[in-house]
């Protein structure tokens, strides 16, 4: 005699489950609106009174190419000056020496409080108050020394140093004080601790705003046109004064600025990833990977019973 109560009953197969993927209607609607707006902008510029042939012809014009190289050169030089001097000012600002701290604070206060354009004009017209430069071992007329390039370098670089000092100070302060105490316990002096312990860890905080400052410097360098430095904007403005294609030349200049900022933005992104290795357990996906993920998640596929639905 069987004691199994289920024996003899008809076995009923479980009902097959059907997985219904979630449809992201909001994404489709948002994407449609964005595409419609972009189409309107493209249509407006396509029908505007712009001679696009002129834009194409002058993109690789010699004067424009030279202006782009000058823009890149003054940006790199001014940023190096600002970075080195800014790091020094940040260390001075954090110093226990009241003289060093006060001088650094005064420098930052002055250069952050006056416009870059005013600083450029002041440096370029320094000959109004100083006829000559006399350093003992070197003497020359101020007009010969203060060239447009040097005036742009000092105006942009010294101003940038004030902002880089605050960025560097924030990065240094972000490092836990226990790191400094541990270095001192190992017998390291202040300089060695700053160079080998604090700054490498602070770079993770310093790099992102520094990259933004570099890109901002690339665009701010256009102000040097007022002191007759032949950078990209001045090259386009000079050409437009001859061919009267004002909007076309501004389009050319804009394309070059966009190209340069795009290249350095990509470099900044991968530099940030490099310095984030010590803090992030897992690196965030690259922009291309995120784009592929976004394109493949409009309709999430599911597998039920070996079939894709």
């Amino acid at each position: 005699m069987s004691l199994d109560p289920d024996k003899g009953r008809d076995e009923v197969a479980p009902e097959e489950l059907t997985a219904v993927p979630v449809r992201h209607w909001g994404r489709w609607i948002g994407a449609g609106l964005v595409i419609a707006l972009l189409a309107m902008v493209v249509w407006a510029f396509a029908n505007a009174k712009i001679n696009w042939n002129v834009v194409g012809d002058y993109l690789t014009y010699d004067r424009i190419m030279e202006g782009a190289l000058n823009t890149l050169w003054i940006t790199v030089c001014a940023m190096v000056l600002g970075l080195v001097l800014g790091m020094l000012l940040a260390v001075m600002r954090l110093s226990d020496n009241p003289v060093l701290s006060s001088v650094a604070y005064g420098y930052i206060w002055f250069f952050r409080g006056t416009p870059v354009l005013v600083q450029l004009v002041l440096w370029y017209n320094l000959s109004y108050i100083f006829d000559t430069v006399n350093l003992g071992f070197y003497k020359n007329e101020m007009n010969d020394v203060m060239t447009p390039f040097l005036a742009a370098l000092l105006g942009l670089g010294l101003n940038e140093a004030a902002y880089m000092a605050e960025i560097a100070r924030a990065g240094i302060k972000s490092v836990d004080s226990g790191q400094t105490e541990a270095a001192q316990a190992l017998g390291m002096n202040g300089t060695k601790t700053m160079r080998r312990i604090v700054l490498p860890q602070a770079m993770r905080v310093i790099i992102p705003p520094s990259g933004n400052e570099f890109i901002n410097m690339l665009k701010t360098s256009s102000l040097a046109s007022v002191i007759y430095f032949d950078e990209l904007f001045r090259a386009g403005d000079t050409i437009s004064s001859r061919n009267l294609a004002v909007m076309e030349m501004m389009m050319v200049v804009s394309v070059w600025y966009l190209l340069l900022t795009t290249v350095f933005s990509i470099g900044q992104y991968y530099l940030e990833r490099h310095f984030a290795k010590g803090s992030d357990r897992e690196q965030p996906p690259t922009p291309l990977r995120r784009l592929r993920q976004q394109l493949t998640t409009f309709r999430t596929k599911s597998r039920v019973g070996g079939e894709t639905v």
Side-chain angles (χ1 to χ4, degrees):
M1 182 176 181
S2 176
L3 299 179
D4 189 355
D6 295 330
K7 188 176 182 179
R9 296 183 181 178
D10 296 334
E11 294 184 359
V12 180
E15 184 179 353
E16 185 178 356
L17 298 177
T18 303
V20 180
V22 178
R23 301 183 183 277
H24 303 281
W25 297 109
R27 293 184 183 180
W28 288 101
I29 294 174
L33 291 175
V34 171
I35 292 175
L37 290 174
L38 289 176
M40 292 173 62
V41 172
V42 171
W43 182 86
F45 275 91
N47 291 275
K49 295 180 180 179
I50 298 176
N51 191 342
W52 294 105
N53 292 328
V54 173
V55 176
D57 292 339
Y58 278 93
L59 276 175
T60 55
Y61 190 64
D62 293 342
R63 185 72 182 273
I64 294 295
M65 297 284 287
E66 183 180 353
L69 289 175
N70 288 337
T71 293
L72 186 58
W73 177 239
I74 192 63
T75 299
V76 172
C77 292
M79 196 65 196
V80 170
L81 175 61
L83 181 62
V84 174
L85 186 56
M87 287 290 186
L88 178 61
L89 288 169
V91 175
M92 290 173 59
R93 180 80 186 276
L94 296 172
S95 175
D96 294 331
N97 189 318
V99 176
L100 295 179
S101 180
S102 299
V103 169
Y105 179 81
Y107 181 98
I108 295 169
W109 166 78
F110 177 80
F111 282 95
R112 288 203 307 175
T114 54
V116 183
L117 183 59
V118 174
Q119 296 175 32
L120 289 170
V121 175
L122 284 174
W123 283 111
Y124 185 68
N125 294 294
L126 207 61
S127 59
Y128 284 121
I129 54 177
F130 297 106
D131 296 330
T132 60
V133 177
N134 190 355
L135 302 177
F137 60 90
Y138 176 80
K139 184 177 181 181
N140 201 350
E141 296 290 331
M142 180 61 74
N143 283 328
D144 296 332
V145 175
M146 194 56 63
T147 61
F149 174 80
L150 183 59
L153 176 62
L154 294 175
L156 296 173
L158 296 182
N159 179 79
E160 183 60 34
Y163 292 92
M164 284 304 305
E166 292 298 278
I167 292 173
R169 185 173 68 91
I172 293 172
K173 296 287 288 184
S174 69
V175 179
D176 189 82
S177 59
Q179 299 287 322
T180 304
E181 295 172 358
Q184 292 173 350
L186 293 174
M188 291 185 180
N189 57 27
T191 303
K192 193 173 184 179
T193 300
M194 180 64 66
R195 181 171 55 87
R196 301 191 63 177
I197 303 298
V198 177
L199 285 180
Q201 298 182 65
M203 292 302 292
R204 182 175 59 87
V205 178
I206 294 175
I207 288 297
S210 298
N212 291 336
E213 286 296 314
F214 183 88
I215 293 173
N216 185 61
M217 174 74 74
L218 189 67
K219 298 179 294 183
T220 306
S221 63
S222 61
L223 294 177
S225 61
V226 301
I227 58 174
Y228 308 107
F229 179 66
D230 197 14
E231 46 73 56
L232 182 57
F233 176 78
R234 179 170 174 79
D237 186 59
T238 302
I239 296 173
S240 65
S241 65
R242 296 200 304 263
N243 62 10
L244 302 181
V246 177
M247 291 302 297
E248 286 80 0
M249 294 313 303
M250 291 302 101
M251 291 288 181
V252 171
V253 170
S254 298
V255 169
W256 270 102
Y257 276 120
L258 286 172
L259 177 62
L260 293 174
T261 54
T262 300
V263 170
F264 286 106
S265 295
I266 295 173
Q268 175 192 350
Y269 172 78
Y270 284 100
L271 189 62
E272 290 179 17
R273 285 175 63 90
H274 172 74
F275 281 100
K277 290 179 179 179
S279 58
D280 296 340
R281 294 183 178 180
E282 183 179 354
Q283 288 290 315
T286 60
L288 291 177
R289 185 178 175 184
R290 288 200 301 266
L291 179 60
R292 286 197 297 266
Q293 290 175 348
Q294 290 293 329
L295 294 177
T296 57
T297 54
F298 282 109
R299 184 176 186 270
T300 306
K301 295 182 179 180
S302 303
R303 293 186 63 86
V304 177
E307 296 182 0
T308 302
V309 296

